[in-house]
Amino acid sequence: MGNTRFYDFNVHTVPDGKDTVKDVMAFAKHLGFGGFAITNHSNVEESYPEGSMQDGIDVYKAVEIVVSNPSKLNGLVGKYRKNVDVVAVHGGNEEINRAAVETPAVDILAHPQTSKNGGINHVLAKSASHNNVAIEFNLDSIIKGRGGKRVHTLSFFSKNLELARKYNVPTILTSNAFNCFDLRAPEEMIALSKLFGMGREEAITSLSDIPESIITKNRNSGIVQEGVEIVNEEIVSSDGE
């Protein structure tokens, strides 16, 4: 795949996940990633590690906003937008899904599927396209799902993919990893995406061009933070602060 850089934009580290940023960085690099986003949940105390760059792998500070009332979403998006590189919203509720795709400051709708359907319909797909909100396909739902649950996930993903194609909605493949061993190599993620009908080029774009476009958009709007680096296993800002 040449010089393509791959990114996983749904990774959880301590205290939301089990492993440290440094451990995940090392393992993600080993798997062939060019970077990843730490999308710890907003309802986890002290859950926002800083981003970093080391040995050719970029780590972006992000958040996965968890909210039960869609009326509170705009306030939370405003709270985090200027402090993180990537804003994702934990969906799975039809009202939350709608609020997320109607909010231009949101980058990713994560876990859109509900217990009854894929969580995306024609109206929401149009809004996601208009506001450039990427729809996530979290592959852990396939890997960890069993029996009927996996069948339903594949069906939901297939329907969401059809809508994304029809309305030109950006799509993103993620691992939703909570430890190093939840991560999957880019080629494995591309192979898994075939199970719900995603073509190879679509999958590559969802792991490379789309994540890069999110960072480029936010950088151009002045959102993306200054880089930081790990020094003596402590994360400090690149200007020494």
Side-chain angles (χ1 to χ4, degrees):
M1 290 180 281
N3 296 321
T4 304
R5 285 173 62 85
F6 296 103
Y7 304 86
D8 187 340
F9 271 16
N10 196 341
V11 176
H12 304 267
T13 62
V14 172
D16 198 16
K18 294 182 179 179
D19 294 322
T20 66
V21 176
K22 186 176 181 181
D23 288 340
V24 175
M25 286 177 71
F27 200 74
K29 183 181 179 182
H30 170 73
L31 292 177
F33 284 99
F36 62 93
I38 306 169
T39 52
N40 285 356
H41 291 101
S42 62
N43 58 350
V44 176
E45 186 178 0
E46 298 179 357
S47 63
Y48 319 109
E50 292 292 337
S52 60
M53 181 177 71
Q54 181 175 326
D55 296 332
I57 186 165
D58 297 311
V59 182
Y60 297 103
K61 183 179 181 182
V63 65
E64 185 174 342
I65 294 175
V66 179
V67 62
S68 58
N69 188 334
S71 67
K72 297 180 179 180
L73 183 61
N74 279 335
L76 286 171
V77 170
K79 173 183 176 181
Y80 292 110
R81 179 69 278 179
K82 292 184 179 180
N83 297 314
V84 300
D85 307 321
V86 181
V87 171
V89 173
H90 190 111
N93 172 294
E94 293 181 11
E95 293 182 346
I96 301 299
N97 288 351
R98 179 182 296 275
V101 298
E102 291 178 349
T103 306
V106 170
D107 297 312
I108 301 167
L109 171 58
H111 316 287
Q113 59 270 23
T114 71
S115 60
K116 296 181 180 179
N117 57 51
I120 299 297
N121 57 31
H122 293 271
V123 174
L124 269 62
K126 289 179 181 179
S127 293
S129 178
H130 177 73
N131 292 309
N132 200 30
V133 178
I135 301 301
E136 179 203 50
F137 294 86
N138 51 305
L139 298 177
D140 70 313
S141 295
I142 298 174
I143 296 168
K144 297 178 181 178
R146 295 292 183 272
K149 186 175 181 180
R150 178 181 287 176
V151 171
H152 287 145
T153 295
L154 290 172
S155 175
F156 296 159
F157 280 13
S158 179
K159 292 176 181 178
N160 286 350
L161 180 61
E162 290 179 8
L163 287 168
R165 287 170 173 166
K166 182 174 182 178
Y167 295 103
N168 196 29
V169 181
T171 58
I172 194 162
L173 292 174
T174 74
S175 67
N176 190 37
F178 280 81
N179 61 62
C180 290
F181 300 108
D182 283 343
L183 292 169
R184 294 294 183 271
E187 275 290 357
E188 186 176 356
M189 296 176 77
I190 291 167
L192 284 168
S193 72
K194 294 179 182 178
L195 295 175
F196 56 90
M198 186 173 277
R200 180 175 178 80
E201 291 304 315
E202 287 178 306
I204 290 174
T205 297
S206 297
L207 282 170
S208 58
D209 294 349
I210 301 302
E212 286 182 345
S213 71
I214 290 172
I215 296 300
T216 298
K217 175 189 69 175
N218 293 338
R219 180 178 290 124
N220 289 340
S221 64
I223 292 172
V224 172
Q225 313 287 311
E226 290 291 331
V228 300
E229 59 184 347
I230 295 178
V231 180
N232 295 327
E233 299 189 4
E234 293 183 0
I235 299 179
V236 299
S237 63
S238 58
D239 61 5
E241 295 182 355

